[in-house]
Amino acid sequence: ACKSRWMALLTLAIFKNKPIQTFVIPHSHMDVGWVYTIQESMHAYAANVYTTVTEELSKAADRRFIAVEQEFFRLWWDTVATDSHKKQVRQLVKEGRLEFIIGGQVMHDEAVTDLDDEILQMTEGHGFLYETFGVRPQFSWHVDPFGASATTPVLFALAGFNAHLISRIDYDLKDAMQKNKKLQFVWRGSPSLKEKHQIFTHTMDQFSYCTPSQLPFSNRYSGFYWNGVAMFPDPPKNGVYPNMSLPVTKETVQAYAKTMVENIKQRAAWFRTNHVLWPWGCDKQFYNSSVQFNNMDPLMKYINQNSKEFGVTVQYATLSEYFQAIYQSDLVWELRGSEDFLPYSTEPHQAWTGFYASRNVLKGVARQASSQLQAAETLFTRYRISFPDGPVAKDWALDKLRALRWAVSEVQHHDGITGTESPTVADMYLQHLMQASMGVDELLAALEQHVIAYNPLAWNTTTIINVTVTFPTAAVFDDDGQPVPAQIQKSAHSSVTYDLFIMVELGGLQHRKYLIKFSEKLCSGRSKCGRTYKAKGVLFERRNIRDWLKTGRRLLPVLNECYKLMFDQDTNLLHSITNLQGKMTVRMTQDFWEYHTNGDVKAGPISDNYIFSANGSAVRAYKAVEMEIIPGKIVTEIRQHFYREESDKDYTYSITTRVPECFGSRLQCHRLEQTYSLGPLHLNTEVILRTSSSLKNNRTLYTDDNGYQMMQRTYRNFTNNTLARNYFPMVRAAYIEDDCSRLVLVSDRAHGVSSQANGQLEVMLHRRLWNNLPWNLGYNLTLNDSSVIKPTLWMMLGSISATSKLYQREAIELQHRPLQFFFPLAHPERPWQVEKPRGRSPVLSIPGWNYSSDHDVHLSKDLHSEPDYDRVLLRIMHLFEEGEDPELSKPVTINLKDVLQGIGEVEVLEERSLTGTWNITSLQRWKWRTADTLETNNKRCWSCGDEAFTVTISPKEIRTFFIHFASRNF
C-alpha cells in the first residue's frame, strides 16, 4: 500500500511538469424525441450531422467524432446515406476515427427504466453495429439521464465496456467531488457481483457535456459552435443559421485560444491526471460540420504552436483515446460501492423527482409492450423450433418482432419513458408502440371463443386471468372438456360488461387452451354452469369525512388463507391487515392525497415534467368514500370509490382490491392485487396513494434500481426542498419495514415513492401541471395531462424472511402475467423444467442477426448475408442477492440441455456477453487498479459431454447464451 501511494505521488509530480493534454471530443447530443419528433429531427438536422461529419472526417486524418444514439444513425444509414457515404463510414470506423459510443438505440434513462428494456435497447443497437461494421462499443457516454443508477454500470460491464461516463448528479455532491478531485472512481455497482463487474467511471465536471457557450469578447451565445442553432421545421436554404459564432480569424484566434485554454485549465484542476476531456458539442450540433471543423482546425493549431506559453496541448480524440490515456496513467483509484446517484437536484429548489410519475399512461403502455414482446419472442422461438416449415412466414414474423423491439427500445430514451417530452412526442411514442404491438398481435391470430393463456415465466404458476365479456353468464372448460373454476360479476369499470375470472394452472413457458360458453340466461344445472360462480356485490353507504367523529366501531373482515383485512364501515377505508401465517396485525389505511403546486414562476418554485416542488404538505384528495364488497369463491373484490365533493355523482379516484383464494400447489393468497383509477385531475395537482401503517420504519424506505437491486433510502433533512428530495424512483418494487414486519408494493410501471412520516409509504401515481416558465411554454413542455389512469400495484405484508422469498418473483409475475390471446393450439406443450424459481423468467428469442459467432470469420465474410433463424439467444438471471435468503441466495446449477428438452434438443451452447456480441472466452476487460485490486478470473470453461451444458448462476448474475438445437428438429 505504501509503495502504491508513493508511485501515485510520483506520477502526479510527473504530470504537473508536463503540459495539460486536452482531448477534444466532437459530438452531437441528439435526443431520440423530446421537443420534436424523430421524423422532425431527422429532417431538420440529424441526417445532416452524419452526412457532413462523414464528409469532413474524410478530408483530414486528425479529425474525430463519436456517434451515440443509434436510432438516428440507423435511420441515416438506411434512408439517407449514399454508397459513397457508406464506403467512407466503413473506412472511418476501421481507422477508429468515427467511434460508436454506448451503441444502444438510445441513451436510456436510468431512473424509471426496467432492466429488461435497458438490455433490449442495448442489444438492438449492438447487434446492428456488429453485423454492419464488426465493431463492439466499449465505453459509455451517459451524459444526460437525470441521475445515475447503480444498475447501469453493472450492465455496461456485462456488455464488455471498459469505462463508464456520467454527468448529471446532485449539484452539491458534484461540487464537493470536484474540489476533492474525486470525479473519477471505480464503481462496484452490485454488492453481490462485487469486483467481477466493477467499472471505471468518469463524472463530467460542472460544464457537463457542452462546451461553454459564452465568449467574453462577443455577445454571441453559442461559444465554440460556429454552425449556430438548428432550425425547425426546415434547415435554411442558404445555410445561414441563427446565432452563428464569430469565425476564427487572425483577429479573433487569440481571444478564442485564451478562452479555451482558461476553460481547459479550470477543468484540469478538478482531476488527478493532466489529461482533460474537453467535449466539443452540445444538443443538435454538427449539422454543418464543415463550418465547425474549419474553425476549430486553425484554433487548435494556434494553441499547439504556442503550447509552451499556454501550458496546454490539444488534439481531436475519440472517447476511447481519452480513456486509454487515463488507463495508462496506472493510478490507484478510489472505490465506490453499490450506492447510486438518485435522486438528482440541480439547485436547492429543483429536485428532479417529478418525472418518476410524469405521463403515467406512456409508462404503462411501454411496460405492457415490453411484456408482450418478451412473450411473443419465446412463442416465435418455440414455433420455429417445432415447426421450421410451418405456415407462419419467418421473415414476416421477424419483421413484426423487430418493429416492436424498435418501438420499445426507442421509448427508453431519457426524454421518453420519463414523460419529459412534449405532448406531440409522447403521442409519437404511443403511436409507435401501439402500431408495433398490433403487428405482434397478428402473430397471435384470432379464433373466437377460445382463450389461450400462455405463461412467459420459467416457473409454474397458478393465477387468475381476467377476461372482459359482454354476457352475464359463462362456463369455462379446458382442453379435455373439464370445467374450470371461474367467477363472473359486473365489471368494476363498465356498466355494460362483466369480469370473468378464470383460475389457470400453467407450467413454465406453457400454453393452455380454454373454451368459454356464453349465455344471456342464467344457467341451471352443473353441466351448463360448469364451475363458474356468479358473484354479487354488497354496497355500503357513502361516508363523508366530516362525519368521521367516531371510527373503528364497526369493522368488517375479508379473509383468505393468508390475510384478514378489516374494513371500517364508519369510513369505508381499510383499518388493518393481519398476516395469518405470521400472526402479525398491522394497523393500516389507504387513501388518496394531493400535493398542490405553484404555476407562476414569479411566485416561487414550480413543478413541471421534470421537477417536483410542492407548495406544502399533501391534503386529502376527497370528501366522501363509497364501498362495495363482492364476495367470491375465486376472488373477493373490494371496490372503494373516492369522491372529490360529497355530492359528486362520479368518483375521481378508486381502489379495487382483489383478495384471491388459494388454489393449486402454490399459495397465491399472499398478494393483494390492487388496481386504481385516477383522474381527470385538477390543474397543478400531483396525486399520491398514501398507505399509512403502524410500522416503525423511521421514514427509511427501500426502492429498486431498475428492477435489479434494492437500495436503502434513508430520510434526509435539507435546508430547502426536503419533501421533494426524499422522493425516489420505484420501477418494480418498494417496501418499508421494522423489526417485525415488512410492507411491500410491486408495480406494473414506474412511479415516484417516498416515506414522509413514520410508517408511511406514499406512491405518486399521477400529475397534471401547467406553469408560465418561458422555457416550458416555448418548447411546449407543460404536463397538462387530463387522462384517467389505471395502474396496478400488488401488496404483501409479512416477516422480512417471508417477503424476501417472494417480492422479486412477484414483481416479475406482475410484469409478465399470463398472455391472453385467441389462437388455435395444435398440440400440448411441455413445461420448462425448473424446480425452484431462483432464476428469473428467461429471455428466449431469435435475434435474426446475420453475423457469425466467430469474430474472425465474421470480419472476413459478406456482411449482407441472410438472418440466422437457427440461433437462439437465451438470457437467464439469478433473482436473489448474496446473503438475502439462507437457501434461495445460493448459486444455482442447472443443465440447460435438460431444462430445454421441452423445446428441443440442445446441440451447441455458447456463452456470450450481455448483448451477444462477444464470445465470453475472448472478452478481456481493462482491470483498473484499486486499493484492494483482486485478480478475477471471468473465463468460463466448458467440458465435454453433458457437463458442457451445465451452468451455475451466482447471486445477481446475468448470463447470456447462443443456443443451437439439433438439426433433426428443423
Side-chain angles (χ1 to χ4, degrees), residues 406-427:
W406 186 290
V408 173
S409 296
E410 168 187 275
V411 77
Q412 307 310 317
H413 168 60
H414 59 267
D415 279 305
I417 199 166
T418 52
T420 55
E421 67 276 15
S422 68
T424 303
V425 174
D427 290 343

Side-chain angles (χ1 to χ4, degrees), residues 23-52:
F23 296 79
V24 177
I25 300 182
H27 75 99
S28 181
H29 183 69
M30 297 189 281
D31 288 305
V32 182
W34 175 39
V35 176
Y36 304 103
T37 67
I38 291 159
Q39 293 80 3
E40 289 171 332
S41 294
M42 278 294 292
H43 175 70
Y45 80 94
N48 284 343
V49 170
Y50 290 114
T51 298
T52 63

Side-chain angles (χ1 to χ4, degrees), residues 466-482:
N466 182 12
V467 181
T468 300
V469 299
T470 56
F471 293 90
T473 303
V476 184
F477 302 90
D478 63 17
D479 299 74
D480 300 325
Q482 296 300 310

Side-chain angles (χ1 to χ4, degrees), residues 79-358:
T79 64
V80 177
T82 64
D83 289 342
S84 176
H85 287 141
K86 291 183 177 181
K87 183 178 180 181
Q88 287 176 315
V89 167
R90 292 189 191 282
Q91 185 61 33
L92 292 168
V93 171
K94 184 178 180 180
E95 294 173 2
R97 298 201 290 120
L98 175 62
E99 183 172 70
F100 295 104
I101 299 298
I102 305 177
Q105 281 290 96
V106 299
M107 185 187 297
H108 68 255
D109 171 64
E110 298 194 42
V112 299
T113 42
D114 186 85
L115 170 77
D116 290 343
D117 302 325
E118 293 176 350
I119 297 172
L120 170 71
Q121 73 88 19
M122 287 171 60
T123 303
E124 184 71 6
H126 286 193
F128 163 77
L129 288 174
Y130 191 59
E131 66 182 1
T132 307
F133 303 108
V135 297
R136 299 170 285 206
Q138 296 179 47
F139 305 95
S140 87
W141 182 263
H142 257 224
V143 296
D144 206 26
F146 320 134
S149 157
T151 299
T152 302
V154 176
L155 297 184
F156 287 162
L158 286 164
F161 285 21
N162 287 314
H164 178 38
L165 185 146
I166 62 176
S167 182
R168 290 186 182 267
I169 64 172
D170 262 4
Y171 68 98
D172 47 0
L173 176 59
K174 178 175 281 193
D175 184 57
M177 291 169 72
Q178 279 186 177
K179 289 176 180 176
N180 296 308
K181 295 190 177 185
K182 293 186 176 183
L183 290 170
Q184 295 170 321
F185 49 87
V186 171
W187 198 352
R188 289 182 181 167
S190 166
S192 294
L193 299 179
K194 300 182 179 67
E195 74 281 350
K196 286 199 296 185
H197 295 296
Q198 66 187 25
I199 193 167
F200 179 81
T201 303
H202 172 102
T203 311
M204 283 191 155
D205 55 49
Q206 67 186 40
F207 294 102
S208 190
Y209 62 88
C210 293
T211 313
S213 58
Q214 293 185 337
L215 298 171
F217 55 90
S218 171
N219 61 358
R220 305 286 177 90
Y221 287 92
S222 21
F224 296 83
Y225 312 131
W226 293 278
N227 54 194
V229 178
M231 287 183 65
F232 289 80
D234 300 308
K237 291 183 172 60
N238 61 3
V240 178
Y241 287 82
N243 212 32
M244 297 175 73
S245 286
L246 296 172
V248 176
T249 63
K250 290 182 180 178
E251 291 73 29
T252 62
V253 67
Q254 188 173 6
Y256 266 116
K258 182 180 178 183
T259 300
M260 185 171 178
V261 167
E262 284 179 353
N263 183 256
I264 290 169
K265 288 184 174 179
Q266 186 179 6
R267 291 176 187 257
W270 298 326
F271 294 92
R272 292 177 60 194
T273 75
N274 70 332
H275 308 102
V276 170
L277 189 162
W278 203 76
W280 178 34
C282 199
D283 292 42
K284 298 182 275 296
Q285 282 294 321
F286 281 85
Y287 46 82
N288 189 343
S289 296
S290 174
V291 176
Q292 289 287 77
F293 283 111
N294 286 335
N295 279 280
M296 183 58 87
D297 284 352
L299 174 57
M300 290 175 60
K301 182 178 179 181
Y302 180 84
I303 292 173
N304 286 332
Q305 286 174 340
N306 297 277
S307 61
K308 288 187 179 180
E309 175 189 344
F310 287 130
V312 167
T313 64
V314 291
Q315 67 187 74
Y316 290 125
T318 60
L319 188 59
S320 67
E321 290 174 313
Y322 169 74
F323 276 129
Q324 282 170 356
I326 299 298
Y327 182 62
Q328 289 166 4
S329 69
D330 204 31
L331 293 182
V332 176
W333 299 99
E334 284 198 0
L335 278 170
R336 182 179 182 85
S338 58
E339 63 270 27
D340 58 15
F341 293 96
L342 291 166
Y344 165 60
S345 295
T346 48
E347 295 176 16
H349 289 285
Q350 293 194 347
W352 293 42
T353 57
F355 76 90
Y356 302 158
S358 295

Side-chain angles (χ1 to χ4, degrees), residues 770-808:
W770 185 92
N771 64 75
N772 60 359
L773 185 68
W775 169 274
N776 287 341
L777 294 177
Y779 286 118
N780 191 20
L781 289 175
T782 55
L783 191 66
N784 192 3
D785 187 349
S786 59
S787 60
V788 176
I789 66 163
K790 299 183 186 299
T792 296
L793 295 174
W794 288 355
M795 180 166 59
M796 286 166 284
L797 176 69
S799 67
I800 292 173
S801 60
T803 54
S804 292
K805 290 177 169 64
L806 293 170
Y807 76 88
Q808 299 98 326

Side-chain angles (χ1 to χ4, degrees), residues 351-597:
W352 293 42
T353 57
F355 76 90
Y356 302 158
S358 295
R359 300 202 190 282
N360 184 279
V361 171
L362 177 62
K363 286 176 165 67
V365 171
R367 287 277 279 276
Q368 290 164 15
S370 171
S371 179
Q372 181 198 30
L373 174 62
Q374 184 165 326
E377 295 272 18
T378 61
L379 284 167
F380 175 61
T381 301
R382 299 193 70 166
Y383 178 87
R384 270 287 302 157
I385 294 168
S386 301
F387 306 106
D389 300 316
V392 177
K394 59 182 185 294
D395 291 344
W396 175 81
L398 187 59
D399 285 345
K400 298 297 183 185
L401 292 173
R402 280 175 167 167
L404 191 52
R405 290 174 190 169
W406 186 290
V408 173
S409 296
E410 168 187 275
V411 77
Q412 307 310 317
H413 168 60
H414 59 267
D415 279 305
I417 199 166
T418 52
T420 55
E421 67 276 15
S422 68
T424 303
V425 174
D427 290 343
M428 175 204 72
Y429 289 128
L430 286 168
Q431 182 184 17
H432 291 179
L433 287 165
M434 290 188 288
Q435 284 181 341
S437 182
M438 289 171 62
V440 167
D441 280 341
E442 294 180 42
L443 284 172
L444 318 171
L447 275 185
E448 284 187 347
Q449 290 194 324
H450 286 81
V451 175
I452 300 298
Y454 172 65
N455 177 18
L457 300 170
W459 55 79
N460 300 348
T461 186
T462 301
T463 190
I464 299 167
I465 64 172
N466 182 12
V467 181
T468 300
V469 299
T470 56
F471 293 90
T473 303
V476 184
F477 302 90
D478 63 17
D479 299 74
D480 300 325
Q482 296 300 310
V484 175
Q487 177 178 319
I488 193 165
Q489 61 197 45
K490 287 185 178 180
S491 172
H493 303 295
S494 170
S495 60
V496 296
T497 61
Y498 298 84
D499 289 330
L500 176 62
F501 298 105
I502 305 172
M503 182 61 64
V504 299
E505 294 190 66
L506 297 165
L509 300 180
Q510 186 182 45
H511 300 85
R512 289 290 299 273
K513 182 172 70 173
Y514 298 90
L515 172 65
I516 305 174
K517 294 182 179 180
F518 295 114
S519 174
E520 292 185 356
K521 299 179 181 179
L522 294 177
C523 63
S524 60
R526 184 172 181 82
S527 61
K528 291 184 179 180
C529 298
R531 295 173 63 189
T532 301
Y533 176 78
K534 187 160 188 178
K536 293 182 179 180
V538 179
L539 187 62
F540 293 82
E541 182 182 351
R542 186 183 299 196
R543 297 294 181 184
N544 300 325
I545 62 171
R546 59 183 170 85
D547 298 328
W548 290 2
L549 302 177
K550 293 183 179 180
T551 62
R553 297 174 300 170
R554 297 180 297 159
L555 300 180
L556 183 69
V558 176
L559 290 89
N560 66 7
E561 293 189 33
C562 293
Y563 297 114
K564 179 172 72 173
L565 286 73
M566 302 296 285
F567 289 88
D568 189 340
Q569 294 181 65
D570 291 323
T571 64
N572 286 335
L573 295 181
L574 178 65
H575 176 270
S576 65
I577 299 179
T578 300
N579 182 298
L580 298 175
Q581 292 158 342
K583 296 182 173 58
M584 60 185 73
T585 298
V586 175
R587 283 290 305 272
M588 191 183 301
T589 60
Q590 284 187 303
D591 57 357
F592 296 100
W593 294 66
E594 294 174 344
Y595 289 107
H596 295 156
T597 59

